[in-house]
Amino acid sequence: MQGFVGDVGDLMKIVMAKNGARPMADVERKLGHELADCLWSVLVLARLYDVDLEKEFHATMAEIEGKLARANQPG
């Protein structure tokens, strides 16, 4: 988990560079690498704690879509 937190911090720096807020060379390659690092950490945590990530992902997306649909209704 500590490594994941560090990876998220690194990802934030890269995103800032991608948006022009800080200088950084080779941003595209670094962005892909750091996103993959973060995904790996999430997958490891899901396996470690026996979380059905596919099921949870679909449930969460359905919840978010419902909230967005309600927020975008007129009235």
Side-chain angles (χ1 to χ4, degrees):
M1 189 62 217
Q2 288 174 330
F4 180 41
V5 170
D7 286 340
V8 170
D10 292 341
L11 180 60
M12 184 62 217
K13 292 172 189 172
I14 295 166
V15 168
M16 289 173 67
K18 180 82 173 147
N19 288 318
R22 63 185 296 154
M24 182 179 289
D26 205 14
V27 175
E28 296 299 324
R29 183 191 62 76
K30 289 177 182 176
L31 179 61
H33 175 85
E34 208 57 50
L35 284 168
D37 275 352
C38 289
L39 178 58
W40 179 82
S41 293
V42 169
L43 295 172
V44 167
L45 288 166
R47 185 177 348 153
L48 179 65
Y49 294 110
D50 198 28
V51 173
D52 183 341
L53 201 52
E54 183 177 6
K55 182 186 90 172
E56 295 300 331
F57 178 81
H58 288 293
T60 300
M61 293 306 105
E63 181 181 325
I64 290 170
E65 288 172 3
K67 287 178 182 178
L68 289 174
R70 287 189 295 280
N72 290 323
Q73 289 179 349

